[in-house]
Amino acid sequence: MARGPGERAGLSRAAVLEGAREVLAEVGLRGLTMRALARRLGVAPNALYSHVPGKDELVDALLDDHLGHVTEPPADSPDPLAAVAALMTSTYDVLVAAPDLVPLYFARRGARGANAQRLGVTMDGLMVRAGVPARTVPPARVNLIVHAIGSASFATVGGDAAESRAAFTAGLGWLLAGIACR
């Protein structure tokens, strides 16, 4: 069976992302270069380009791949605002679990890939079901995402994990109460 581009080197997109995550954790964003990643994976740099066009897309793919760990509530949840709270809490937990990625979510103002889009569609649908006017759904979503990323940022720079989570949960409740009031 013939292999496609990049597969000749024995690479998969998952392997490229895993290697990039390891390089990022060891040397930071400045040290995450296509050459450094190729060295880590034992391939020529050009083997990476069939999986990602460049470093920016690699970082975006890392961020979006990580969002794949967010637990999505059922779309038909009986209490849509509680489902939004569960979705945002799962997002917070996923972000806190990867402190090296949190600054990148800030720098890139979130993620834009398939997982991020799927989660956004789910959140929007839940808010519409909760009676939030369609015109206010996008800014409500942005505020919820900023709260999750900002709270995760505070939680990952030290301090008490329980206090950080309590502060996130309280703020999330306030935001959702305000969103519900329209």
Side-chain angles (χ1 to χ4, degrees):
M1 181 167 101
R3 290 193 249 184
E7 292 175 335
R8 287 185 289 276
L11 287 181
S12 66
R13 184 174 175 86
V16 169
L17 293 178
E18 182 179 333
R21 185 69 194 279
E22 292 168 359
V23 172
L24 180 66
E26 288 175 15
V27 297
L29 184 60
R30 291 186 90 174
L32 175 61
T33 64
M34 298 304 269
R35 287 188 185 279
L37 178 55
R39 274 193 305 276
R40 165 61 57 102
L41 297 172
V43 299
N46 65 343
L48 301 173
Y49 292 100
S50 59
H51 299 284
V52 289
K55 180 178 175 176
D56 286 341
E57 295 83 4
L58 174 64
V59 172
D60 286 340
L62 268 176
L63 296 177
D64 194 62
D65 183 64
H66 189 65
L67 287 182
H69 299 289
V70 173
T71 302
E72 232 179 299
D76 62 350
S77 296
D79 182 346
L81 282 181
V84 170
L87 178 64
M88 294 315 300
T89 299
S90 179
T91 300
Y92 171 83
D93 291 340
V94 165
L95 293 174
V96 168
D100 56 324
L101 294 182
V102 173
L104 300 178
Y105 283 103
F106 256 127
R108 292 194 151 24
R109 299 179 60 151
R112 291 160 197 73
N115 288 319
Q117 291 175 17
R118 176 181 46 78
L119 294 169
V121 166
T122 297
M123 191 181 333
D124 289 359
L126 289 167
M127 285 193 280
V128 167
R129 280 192 47 231
V132 176
R135 65 179 167 65
T136 62
V137 167
R141 177 183 3 92
V142 167
N143 278 280
L144 290 166
I145 291 168
V146 167
H147 177 64
I149 294 172
S151 295
S153 179
F154 279 108
T156 58
V157 294
D160 183 273
E163 283 181 23
S164 295
R165 186 176 182 81
F168 164 77
T169 302
L172 179 61
W174 297 329
L175 282 169
L176 288 173
I179 289 167
C181 288
R182 296 175 251 335

